[in-house]
Amino acid sequence: MSKPLRILVWNEGVHEARNTPEHINDIYPDGMHGAIAEGLRALLPDAEVSTATLASDDEHGLSEAVLAETDVLLWWGHIAHDEVRDDVVERVQRHVHGGMGLLVLHSGHFSKIFIRLLGTTCSLKWRNEGERELVWNVKPSHPITEGVPQPIVIDEQEMYGEFFDIPDPDDLIFVSSFAGGEIFRSGVTFTRGAGRIFYFSPGDQDYPVYYHDDVRRVLANGVQWAAQPGRVRAQPEVSNPARGWFEG
Amino acid sequence: MSKPLRILVWNEGVHEARNTPEHINDIYPDGMHGAIAEGLRALLPDAEVSTATLASDDEHGLSEAVLAETDVLLWWGHIAHDEVRDDVVERVQRHVHGGMGLLVLHSGHFSKIFIRLLGTTCSLKWRNEGERELVWNVKPSHPITEGVPQPIVIDEQEMYGEFFDIPDPDDLIFVSSFAGGEIFRSGVTFTRGAGRIFYFSPGDQDYPVYYHDDVRRVLANGVQWAAQPGRVRAQPEVSNPARGWFEG
Amino acid sequence: MSKPLRILVWNEGVHEARNTPEHINDIYPDGMHGAIAEGLRALLPDAEVSTATLASDDEHGLSEAVLAETDVLLWWGHIAHDEVRDDVVERVQRHVHGGMGLLVLHSGHFSKIFIRLLGTTCSLKWRNEGERELVWNVKPSHPITEGVPQPIVIDEQEMYGEFFDIPDPDDLIFVSSFAGGEIFRSGVTFTRGAGRIFYFSPGDQDYPVYYHDDVRRVLANGVQWAAQPGRVRAQPEVSNPARGWFEG
Amino acid sequence: MSKPLRILVWNEGVHEARNTPEHINDIYPDGMHGAIAEGLRALLPDAEVSTATLASDDEHGLSEAVLAETDVLLWWGHIAHDEVRDDVVERVQRHVHGGMGLLVLHSGHFSKIFIRLLGTTCSLKWRNEGERELVWNVKPSHPITEGVPQPIVIDEQEMYGEFFDIPDPDDLIFVSSFAGGEIFRSGVTFTRGAGRIFYFSPGDQDYPVYYHDDVRRVLANGVQWAAQPGRVRAQPEVSNPARGWFEG
């Protein structure tokens, strides 16, 4: 494990560019990707953390060469899901199938990549009134929960509520409650091909959630859990082997 | 499926016998088992529903003959778990392994039978202050949720909170939130041997929860889901078959 | 449950039309869909069973009106996956999300609809040498296994082998071994939205598998398990409810 | 991760003591525990690997002090399951609940500890005729499979076959086929409390399986996956917190 983990934080970056909400650049002067990357650098000092946005280049900073050198990709998107090129989404999916880790954050539940990987509508309830979110750990043996308090208390967040239309996750790790009484499966893992996927819902353009120490800890744990630096990147393929092909 | 389902509602019956809490016999004049049985009879009119308690006889009403004629057993216990005979618990476990359905209710989480079947401590947080419980459906495709509103609203209930020390369930169906902010995996299924198990947490000696229409619907659905009336009752056994035993 | 189940057996029907393999019309004079439908009619005499093929009409017999009246769709495809219209695939997916049952058969693992619903490559190993397949039941409590012997013995079948690139299923029900030593997760269930999905691999254009009594039993059980005739067909949707929307 | 992992290989050691089968001391001159420990030491050179047997002392080498200093316990037993003291089994279970990793090997499926943790009969089919076992990887994203070939080929092994009466595992990692056609879920994980459990079936007193490079790799991977060296050993407990206990 001598090579550093290579982490890419992707954010559409459109809220920041449009200055909506007005206070976003007060909260996130370096963009949400900047705050997320800062947290990862602090907790994973040996990792190489870079960022990209929708506008990075004509492939949204997600070229074949970039993905081939990425162990774990984090994805934040919200108001510009449709502007992500379909061929780039297919490329990301192929890399996940080949073993690239993927962390999908908050409103990324409606991203093209998440919907393609999960096969559901990924719809949910929402209400943006700054409610308190409590994030409860229901799988304390999972490495993503290491060093995380029970519960995580987030003073103000957008409410996400059930029914959250996702497949049954491999592991249900966190369930949140909100001040209004709704609950949400806020931390869930999936496997697709050789790739490990972690969805974590806390995080929003309106609130400084990505500075929250416990949220940062969860993201750093998630990156470590999802990374497979020793794996050759190759997606599963069909084959037609002769009988006894596995014999001496 | 012409034969009626045979359902046995078991309740330790000790709160009722001791009149603790004082209002229990106002709420449950026929015992909690009576209220549960009444609900099942109303929703499953073709079923044969009977009841038994710790004091029913020297086997707690759970003789070999009785269990052999039971498709689904419901279990409510709280302050007298230790008084249940170990040999009876082993017998119930054997019948579950052989295909008898089991619904474990509320404080039955600490019953001997539940702990033996699950292998964990089954511990949890609790607080008895009559908080509102909202029961959210997170698996709407499951037959146990048929005809159940989203959410079920229970005005007053004891709080049960995470971490609930159970194995990962086969299906997570309901997650509750409480007024105080805690959440709880309140409806979960397990398989042990050939038997189907459903744990459902709403229900308590202090509150008239077993008259709640939606709770009654869940229990009736649970019974139908857990029942395997066509199965020969036989627990899995070790065997030492000759090579090719399955051939013509 | 007085209304009959409405079952639609869909087969691309291209092997039959092209007479490849040459003996297909000896084995399946009414097409594979005909043999499958015959088996379902025999075991589910109260159901309404119809068939459709790629060439049925310009929507492959899968119009909005037809799907709206279908409780469970069975899908067989192989050499013409790409000829299925994308808008029809999206429509089928929408109906699955809304609660239509789906049984995907054998080479349907590479169908557009299966890949879209699962999010993986669905690739596998294969070898068509008429090997004996043994189908082992690893979840005897599941209703799909009712009345099915342990193991199912199929004298000649195409080999399908692991790694089968699917997400972790909700339930793993059958695992097959083949004469050459490979194994395959041959009976698996998934949930997507409100819809129940069952994939079952035995069945091929080269062998008369769809006349096998045990295979027919599994398919009939699968249809009954996947059907939700009482459900209003509506896929999960996003919503933005006011705080306390669920109160009185 | 500066402290070395502390691994304890437990073997009942009765086959070795009784010299049954007669060739066991030719195959395993240092006992099966010796061979397993040797493999772990070779692959995990930084770990501290020790061994214990039924006869080690009057607590089978599994005192409170020993377990408190054990990150991962491996368990091999066969003909002396009943001789393991119940209080020692309860102690091991408590440590698993508190976060000690546990690897249960081969005939350990019928050990008291495995049955207590799983809640099922753990019965299976068996036939000891030296059949070839092929161990297929069905979850290539799992860390336990890192560096393991597809399939593992074991020339001679005892056959273990389905139905294997275990609960649905958290992760199904390996499925084996045997020359006689049976299959077996040979590598499965469970969580109980805070503890991670891995059952791996290859390994028998009659065959030199514990010298097989790939088997050794799986065991070393399993130990690393199950270990939680940073966790305070404490099993989940019931608590009765006041409302708002988690607030600043």
Side-chain angles (χ1 to χ4, degrees):
Chain A
M1 302 296 170
S2 51
K3 281 177 45 179
L5 281 189
R6 301 160 300 178
I7 306 168
L8 176 58
V9 182
W10 193 90
N11 174 16
E12 61 178 32
V14 176
H15 283 286
E16 292 89 341
R18 294 187 191 166
N19 220 30
T20 57
E22 280 191 21
H23 62 285
I24 189 167
N25 289 305
D26 297 328
I27 308 177
Y28 292 114
D30 301 313
M32 281 181 280
H33 48 293
I36 294 168
E38 178 193 275
L40 293 173
R41 287 187 188 109
L43 292 168
L44 305 173
D46 295 334
E48 295 172 359
V49 182
S50 56
T51 64
T53 68
L54 191 68
S56 287
D57 58 33
D58 61 359
E59 299 180 278
H60 318 311
L62 299 168
S63 68
E64 183 64 35
V66 166
L67 293 181
E69 299 294 322
T70 299
D71 292 312
V72 181
L73 175 66
L74 294 92
W75 191 280
W76 199 100
H78 182 214
I79 49 175
H81 293 315
D82 285 345
E83 295 175 38
V84 180
R85 282 172 40 181
D86 286 334
D87 61 331
V88 171
V89 175
E90 288 184 34
R91 184 188 298 152
V92 173
Q93 184 179 26
R94 182 164 40 79
H95 278 271
V96 171
H97 289 165
M100 183 178 72
L102 178 67
L103 269 61
V104 177
L105 305 177
H106 191 59
S107 45
H109 73 90
F110 263 160
S111 63
K112 287 182 179 177
I113 184 61
F114 198 55
I115 289 173
R116 282 180 72 99
L117 285 164
L118 266 55
T120 54
T121 65
C122 301
S123 57
L124 47 69
K125 291 189 179 62
W126 64 277
R127 183 175 58 241
N128 194 359
E129 301 186 1
E131 297 174 47
R132 184 186 69 186
E133 177 173 0
L134 302 173
V135 185
W136 296 93
N137 175 357
V138 300
K139 186 137 192 178
S141 65
H142 200 285
I144 288 180
T145 71
E146 196 172 329
V148 175
Q150 173 81 310
I152 302 174
V153 180
I154 303 176
D155 291 333
E156 289 189 303
Q157 245 290 79
E158 183 180 19
M159 183 281 288
Y160 273 11
E162 299 282 345
F163 175 62
F164 183 23
D165 181 22
I166 52 172
D168 279 8
D170 285 17
D171 280 307
L172 175 70
I173 301 177
F174 296 113
V175 179
S176 291
S177 71
F178 292 85
E182 281 90 354
I183 65 101
F184 193 68
R185 288 171 291 169
S186 50
V188 286
T189 67
F190 303 92
T191 305
R192 291 295 181 270
R196 301 174 192 159
I197 302 165
F198 176 49
Y199 173 79
F200 188 59
S201 67
D204 187 83
Q205 71 279 359
D206 268 312
Y207 311 100
V209 176
Y210 291 120
Y211 297 102
H212 191 299
D213 283 346
D214 302 329
V215 169
R216 288 185 159 190
R217 171 61 63 193
V218 170
L219 295 183
N221 287 349
V223 162
Q224 290 180 292
W225 170 82
Q228 301 184 68
R231 173 182 290 279
V232 176
R233 184 73 48 87
Q235 67 173 358
E237 290 192 341
V238 70
S239 66
N240 178 215
R243 199 161 157 162
W245 57 273
F246 44 75
E247 290 168 359
Chain B
M1 304 295 170
S2 52
K3 281 178 46 178
L5 282 189
R6 299 160 304 176
I7 305 168
L8 177 56
V9 182
W10 192 91
N11 174 17
E12 62 179 32
V14 176
H15 283 286
E16 292 90 340
R18 296 186 189 166
N19 219 29
T20 57
E22 281 191 19
H23 62 285
I24 189 167
N25 288 304
D26 296 328
I27 307 176
Y28 292 114
D30 301 314
M32 281 180 280
H33 48 295
I36 295 168
E38 178 192 275
L40 293 172
R41 287 187 189 110
L43 291 168
L44 304 172
D46 295 334
E48 295 173 359
V49 182
S50 55
T51 64
T53 69
L54 192 68
S56 286
D57 57 33
D58 61 0
E59 299 179 278
H60 318 311
L62 298 168
S63 68
E64 182 64 35
V66 166
L67 293 180
E69 299 294 321
T70 299
D71 292 311
V72 180
L73 175 66
L74 294 92
W75 192 280
W76 199 100
H78 182 214
I79 50 176
H81 293 313
D82 285 346
E83 295 176 38
V84 179
R85 283 171 40 180
D86 285 334
D87 61 330
V88 171
V89 174
E90 289 185 34
R91 183 189 298 153
V92 172
Q93 185 179 26
R94 182 164 39 79
H95 277 271
V96 171
H97 289 165
M100 184 178 71
L102 179 68
L103 269 63
V104 177
L105 305 178
H106 191 59
S107 45
H109 73 90
F110 263 161
S111 63
K112 289 182 178 176
I113 184 62
F114 198 56
I115 289 172
R116 282 180 72 98
L117 286 164
L118 266 55
T120 53
T121 66
C122 302
S123 58
L124 47 71
K125 291 189 179 62
W126 64 278
R127 183 174 58 241
N128 194 359
E129 301 187 0
E131 296 174 48
R132 185 187 66 186
E133 176 173 359
L134 301 173
V135 185
W136 297 94
N137 175 358
V138 301
K139 185 135 192 178
S141 65
H142 201 284
I144 288 180
T145 71
E146 195 172 329
V148 176
Q150 174 80 309
I152 302 174
V153 180
I154 303 176
D155 291 332
E156 290 189 303
Q157 246 290 77
E158 184 180 19
M159 183 280 289
Y160 272 13
E162 299 281 345
F163 174 63
F164 182 24
D165 180 22
I166 53 171
D168 280 7
D170 286 15
D171 280 306
L172 176 70
I173 301 177
F174 297 112
V175 179
S176 292
S177 71
F178 292 85
E182 281 91 353
I183 64 100
F184 193 68
R185 288 171 290 168
S186 50
V188 286
T189 67
F190 302 92
T191 304
R192 291 295 182 270
R196 301 174 191 159
I197 301 165
F198 176 50
Y199 173 79
F200 187 59
S201 67
D204 187 83
Q205 71 279 357
D206 268 310
Y207 310 100
V209 176
Y210 290 121
Y211 297 101
H212 192 299
D213 283 347
D214 302 330
V215 169
R216 287 185 159 190
R217 171 61 63 192
V218 170
L219 296 183
N221 287 349
V223 163
Q224 290 180 292
W225 170 82
Q228 301 185 67
R231 174 183 290 278
V232 176
R233 184 71 50 85
Q235 67 173 357
E237 290 192 341
V238 70
S239 66
N240 178 215
R243 197 161 158 163
W245 57 274
F246 44 75
E247 289 167 359
Chain C
M1 305 296 170
S2 52
K3 281 177 45 180
L5 282 188
R6 300 159 303 177
I7 306 168
L8 177 56
V9 182
W10 192 90
N11 174 18
E12 61 178 33
V14 176
H15 283 287
E16 294 88 339
R18 296 187 190 165
N19 221 28
T20 57
E22 281 191 19
H23 61 288
I24 189 169
N25 289 305
D26 296 329
I27 308 176
Y28 292 114
D30 300 313
M32 281 180 279
H33 48 296
I36 294 167
E38 177 192 276
L40 293 173
R41 287 186 188 110
L43 292 168
L44 304 173
D46 294 333
E48 294 174 358
V49 182
S50 56
T51 65
T53 69
L54 191 68
S56 287
D57 57 33
D58 60 1
E59 298 180 278
H60 318 311
L62 299 167
S63 67
E64 182 65 34
V66 165
L67 293 181
E69 299 293 322
T70 299
D71 292 311
V72 181
L73 175 67
L74 294 92
W75 192 280
W76 199 100
H78 182 215
I79 50 175
H81 293 313
D82 286 344
E83 296 175 39
V84 180
R85 282 171 40 180
D86 286 334
D87 61 331
V88 171
V89 175
E90 288 184 36
R91 183 188 298 153
V92 172
Q93 185 178 25
R94 183 164 38 80
H95 277 271
V96 171
H97 289 165
M100 183 179 71
L102 178 68
L103 269 63
V104 176
L105 305 177
H106 191 60
S107 45
H109 72 91
F110 263 160
S111 63
K112 288 181 179 178
I113 184 62
F114 198 56
I115 290 173
R116 282 180 73 98
L117 285 164
L118 267 54
T120 54
T121 66
C122 301
S123 59
L124 46 70
K125 292 188 178 63
W126 64 277
R127 182 173 59 242
N128 193 358
E129 300 187 2
E131 297 174 48
R132 185 187 66 187
E133 176 174 359
L134 301 173
V135 184
W136 297 93
N137 175 358
V138 301
K139 185 136 192 178
S141 65
H142 201 284
I144 288 180
T145 71
E146 195 172 329
V148 175
Q150 172 82 306
I152 302 174
V153 180
I154 302 176
D155 292 333
E156 291 188 304
Q157 245 289 78
E158 185 179 18
M159 183 282 287
Y160 273 11
E162 298 281 344
F163 175 63
F164 182 23
D165 180 22
I166 52 173
D168 279 8
D170 284 16
D171 280 308
L172 176 71
I173 301 178
F174 297 113
V175 179
S176 292
S177 71
F178 292 85
E182 282 91 353
I183 64 101
F184 193 68
R185 289 170 290 169
S186 49
V188 286
T189 66
F190 302 92
T191 304
R192 292 294 181 271
R196 302 175 190 157
I197 302 166
F198 176 50
Y199 173 80
F200 188 60
S201 67
D204 186 84
Q205 72 279 358
D206 268 311
Y207 311 100
V209 176
Y210 289 120
Y211 297 102
H212 193 297
D213 283 346
D214 302 331
V215 169
R216 288 184 159 192
R217 172 60 63 192
V218 170
L219 296 183
N221 288 349
V223 163
Q224 291 180 290
W225 170 82
Q228 301 185 68
R231 172 183 291 279
V232 175
R233 185 73 47 85
Q235 66 173 357
E237 290 191 342
V238 71
S239 66
N240 177 214
R243 198 159 158 167
W245 58 273
F246 43 76
E247 290 168 358
Chain D
M1 303 293 171
S2 51
K3 280 176 46 177
L5 281 189
R6 300 159 302 176
I7 305 168
L8 177 57
V9 182
W10 192 91
N11 173 18
E12 61 178 33
V14 176
H15 283 287
E16 293 88 340
R18 295 185 189 166
N19 220 29
T20 57
E22 282 191 18
H23 62 284
I24 189 168
N25 289 304
D26 297 329
I27 308 176
Y28 292 114
D30 300 313
M32 282 180 280
H33 49 294
I36 294 167
E38 177 192 276
L40 293 173
R41 288 186 187 109
L43 291 168
L44 304 173
D46 295 333
E48 295 173 358
V49 182
S50 56
T51 64
T53 69
L54 191 68
S56 287
D57 57 34
D58 60 0
E59 298 180 280
H60 319 310
L62 299 168
S63 68
E64 182 64 35
V66 167
L67 294 180
E69 299 294 320
T70 299
D71 292 312
V72 181
L73 175 67
L74 294 93
W75 192 280
W76 198 102
H78 182 215
I79 51 176
H81 293 313
D82 286 345
E83 295 176 38
V84 180
R85 282 172 39 181
D86 286 334
D87 62 329
V88 171
V89 175
E90 287 185 36
R91 182 188 298 152
V92 172
Q93 185 179 25
R94 183 164 39 79
H95 277 270
V96 171
H97 289 165
M100 182 178 73
L102 178 68
L103 270 62
V104 176
L105 305 177
H106 191 60
S107 45
H109 72 90
F110 263 159
S111 62
K112 287 181 179 178
I113 184 61
F114 198 57
I115 289 172
R116 282 180 72 98
L117 285 164
L118 267 55
T120 54
T121 66
C122 301
S123 58
L124 47 70
K125 292 188 179 62
W126 64 277
R127 184 173 58 241
N128 193 358
E129 299 187 3
E131 297 173 47
R132 184 187 68 187
E133 176 174 359
L134 302 172
V135 184
W136 297 92
N137 175 358
V138 301
K139 185 136 190 176
S141 65
H142 201 284
I144 288 180
T145 71
E146 196 173 330
V148 175
Q150 172 82 308
I152 302 174
V153 180
I154 303 175
D155 291 335
E156 289 188 305
Q157 244 290 79
E158 184 180 17
M159 183 282 288
Y160 273 11
E162 298 283 344
F163 174 64
F164 182 23
D165 181 22
I166 52 173
D168 280 7
D170 285 16
D171 280 307
L172 176 70
I173 300 177
F174 297 113
V175 180
S176 291
S177 71
F178 291 86
E182 281 90 354
I183 64 99
F184 192 68
R185 287 170 292 169
S186 50
V188 285
T189 66
F190 302 93
T191 305
R192 291 294 181 272
R196 301 175 191 158
I197 302 165
F198 176 50
Y199 173 80
F200 188 59
S201 67
D204 186 84
Q205 71 279 359
D206 268 312
Y207 310 100
V209 176
Y210 290 119
Y211 298 102
H212 192 298
D213 283 346
D214 303 330
V215 170
R216 287 185 160 190
R217 172 61 62 193
V218 170
L219 295 183
N221 288 349
V223 163
Q224 291 179 291
W225 170 82
Q228 301 184 68
R231 173 183 290 279
V232 175
R233 185 72 48 87
Q235 67 172 358
E237 292 192 341
V238 70
S239 66
N240 177 214
R243 199 160 156 164
W245 58 273
F246 44 75
E247 289 167 1

